[in-house]
């Protein structure tokens, strides 16, 4: 049985989706406008901006059709046409956002990403941008029968569990695991210092443990390296060097490369397997993994944020940033009280 998002959201999402070209391999909604977060009253949630991601097989064609339907959604970049918009989309995290768009009576933000770019991020964590969003509960609105995409979505969840295991102690709670997973894509993100509520990860997990369980329970039950005490909400994992080496070898390619670049001194040029074996024996193995993830996220979040001035335009960029700062200030005041 599907777990509910915020009341009445299903019909509203379908109405919004109807405003866009329908050639989508995947569309999902996410964020505080979809799933309730701690510290947010139900009456406030229904006024939060709705966030969407649309995956498309042909970005140039999709933007061409969307410019015909929704030209006002775009910044001055619409003057350069769909090909240039797609070129800008391919920079950084490979996603193009139109933000602060009024649609069907709600304020929305939507990102467009190529299906191949999405699959690459899900499998290899090249940017961990959209892959990171899909490690947390989202509401899938439409998904086609692309077998590669379906396999990549599952692979991304398994990778999130593996990375979290490496950063957790031998025994921990289910909520600890979900906190670690939810925080992966915020590691190294400068927006967590300027512009985001620093309690964001806790707020996401606290109200949504059943949604996380729906995503991860089967993976945990099938994983040979964990004892999953579902009724107690506790887990135990193998923290031996052999166990950690197996987990490190199962990490996405980009993260393995980042870890190798941190650990391997310049000029040594040891192969990845040799370096990961060394890391597996390191008492600070979890910290090394965290540094690798932070390195991926830091780069993609900086480039993606710098694109916002182009994709949203100056006025919307300032307005959007001010809204983020307001949310961060509210979170800090709530914590202090």
């Amino acid at each position: 049985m599907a777990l509910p998002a915020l009341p009445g959201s299903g019909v509203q999402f379908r109405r919004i989706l109807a405003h866009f070209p329908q050639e989508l391999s995947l569309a999902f909604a996410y964020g505080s406008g979809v799933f309730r977060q701690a510290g947010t009253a139900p009456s406030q949630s229904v006024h939060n901006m709705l966030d969407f991601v649309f995956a498309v097989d042909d970005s140039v064609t999709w933007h061409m059709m969307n410019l015909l339907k929704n030209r006002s959604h775009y910044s001055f970049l619409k003057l350069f046409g769909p090909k240039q918009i797609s070129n800008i989309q391919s920079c950084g995290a490979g996603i193009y956002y139109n933000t602060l768009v009024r649609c069907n009576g709600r304020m929305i933000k939507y990102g467009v990403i190529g299906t191949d770019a999405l699959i690459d991020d899900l499998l290899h964590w090249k940017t961990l941008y959209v892959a990171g969003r899909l490690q947390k509960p989202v509401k899938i609105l439409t998904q086609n029968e692309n077998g590669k995409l379906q396999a990549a979505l599952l692979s991304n969840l398994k990778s999130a569990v593996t990375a979290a295991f490496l950063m957790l102690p031998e025994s921990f709670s289910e909520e600890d695991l979900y906190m670690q997973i939810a925080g992966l894509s915020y590691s190294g993100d400068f927006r967590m210092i300027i512009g985001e509520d620093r309690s964001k990860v806790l707020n996401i997990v606290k109200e949504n443990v059943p949604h996380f369980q729906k995503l991860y329970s089967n993976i945990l039950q099938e994983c040979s390296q964990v004892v999953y005490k579902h009724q107690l909400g506790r887990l135990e994992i193998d923290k031996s060097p052999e166990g950690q080496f197996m987990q490190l070898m199962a990490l996405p390619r980009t993260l393995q490369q980042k870890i190798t670049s941190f650990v391997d001194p310049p000029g040594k040029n040891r192969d990845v397997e040799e370096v990961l074996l060394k890391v597996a024996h390191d008492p600070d193995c979890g910290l090394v993994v965290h540094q690798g993830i932070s390195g991926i996220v830091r780069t993609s979040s900086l480039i993606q944020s710098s694109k916002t001035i182009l994709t949203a335009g100056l006025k919307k960029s300032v307005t959007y940033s001010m809204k983020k700062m307001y949310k961060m200030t509210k979170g800090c005041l709530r914590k202090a009280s």
Side-chain angles (χ1 to χ4, degrees):
M1 185 180 76
L3 293 164
L6 291 172
S9 57
V11 172
Q12 184 173 49
F13 294 151
R14 288 195 294 273
R15 284 177 176 166
I16 289 171
L17 205 59
H19 286 260
F20 297 94
Q22 296 302 295
E23 289 71 13
L24 304 171
S25 58
L26 176 71
F28 63 88
Y30 65 95
S32 59
V34 185
F35 295 98
R36 188 165 293 126
Q37 295 185 5
T40 305
S43 58
Q44 183 186 335
S45 296
V46 297
H47 297 295
N48 285 349
M49 184 162 65
L50 295 174
D51 300 308
F52 298 88
V53 168
F54 304 148
V56 302
D57 290 342
D58 183 339
S59 295
V60 175
T61 300
W62 195 91
H63 283 297
M64 181 180 68
M65 292 189 292
N66 198 44
L67 281 164
L68 293 172
K69 289 172 71 81
N70 301 301
R71 191 172 179 81
S72 63
H73 293 184
Y74 290 82
S75 69
F76 69 93
L77 291 176
K78 60 179 169 256
L79 301 174
F80 298 96
K83 191 168 183 182
Q84 287 305 317
I85 288 171
S86 297
N87 287 340
I88 290 167
Q89 176 181 306
S90 66
C91 298
I95 188 166
Y96 185 103
Y97 272 105
N98 282 324
T99 190
L100 295 176
V101 171
R102 179 67 63 178
C103 185
N104 205 55
R106 288 292 296 269
M107 193 66 75
I108 73 166
K109 175 181 77 175
Y110 64 94
V112 183
I113 185 169
T115 306
D116 289 341
L118 174 57
I119 290 171
D120 190 41
D121 197 30
L122 292 168
L123 291 176
H124 305 303
W125 288 10
K126 188 176 177 182
T127 68
L128 199 51
Y129 199 87
V130 181
R133 278 154 177 70
L134 285 161
Q135 291 162 359
K136 297 177 273 289
V138 302
K139 186 170 182 63
I140 302 291
L141 306 177
T142 185
Q143 183 178 353
N144 67 13
E145 297 300 315
N146 185 324
K148 282 179 66 178
L149 177 56
Q150 290 174 2
L153 288 164
L154 179 58
S155 176
N156 180 47
L157 298 179
K158 289 180 177 178
S159 295
V161 169
T162 302
F165 281 173
L166 285 159
M167 293 185 287
L168 286 163
E170 189 172 0
S171 177
F172 49 91
S173 71
E174 207 170 346
E175 190 167 310
D176 290 337
L177 173 65
Y178 300 143
M179 287 282 290
Q180 197 68 249
I181 289 172
L184 291 176
S185 63
Y186 297 118
S187 303
D189 190 338
F190 78 99
R191 292 171 301 175
M192 295 303 288
I193 302 169
I194 303 170
E196 287 284 6
D197 182 353
R198 291 167 202 174
S199 304
K200 190 178 182 79
V201 174
L202 176 62
N203 294 343
I204 290 169
V205 174
K206 198 170 181 182
E207 293 288 328
N208 292 291
V209 169
H211 292 284
F212 277 95
Q213 287 174 328
K214 188 171 187 288
L215 273 178
Y216 290 104
S217 282
N218 287 344
I219 292 170
L220 294 173
Q221 286 164 3
E222 293 168 7
C223 180
S224 60
Q225 289 190 301
V226 65
V227 178
Y228 179 31
K229 301 174 181 177
H230 181 64
Q231 299 302 322
L232 299 174
R234 300 289 304 179
L235 300 98
E236 295 173 6
I237 51 174
D238 180 4
K239 296 299 285 185
S240 69
E242 294 78 16
Q244 293 196 140
F245 179 63
M246 284 181 63
Q247 291 161 6
L248 288 163
M249 289 299 291
L251 290 174
R253 183 178 65 207
T254 307
L255 180 52
Q256 289 180 338
Q257 291 167 346
K258 281 286 183 185
I259 292 170
T260 302
S261 68
F262 280 130
V263 175
D264 200 24
K268 280 263 186 166
N269 295 322
R270 291 178 296 181
D271 65 32
V272 171
E273 188 171 337
E274 186 183 350
V275 173
L276 295 183
L277 184 59
K278 179 185 175 183
V279 173
H281 285 81
D282 189 332
D284 292 325
C285 174
L287 180 60
V288 174
V289 173
H290 182 268
Q291 288 176 328
I293 293 169
S294 296
I296 296 170
V297 174
R298 188 179 300 113
T299 303
S300 63
S301 65
L302 276 168
I303 297 172
Q304 192 61 38
S305 294
S306 66
K307 277 168 58 175
T308 303
I309 297 172
L310 293 176
T311 60
L314 185 59
K315 183 180 177 183
K316 280 189 177 182
S317 295
V318 171
T319 303
Y320 184 67
S321 298
M322 292 300 291
K323 284 176 181 284
K324 286 287 186 183
M325 291 294 289
Y326 174 70
K327 282 179 76 174
M328 183 186 77
T329 305
K330 271 183 68 180
C332 291
L333 291 173
R334 193 166 56 240
K335 227 176 169 183
S337 62

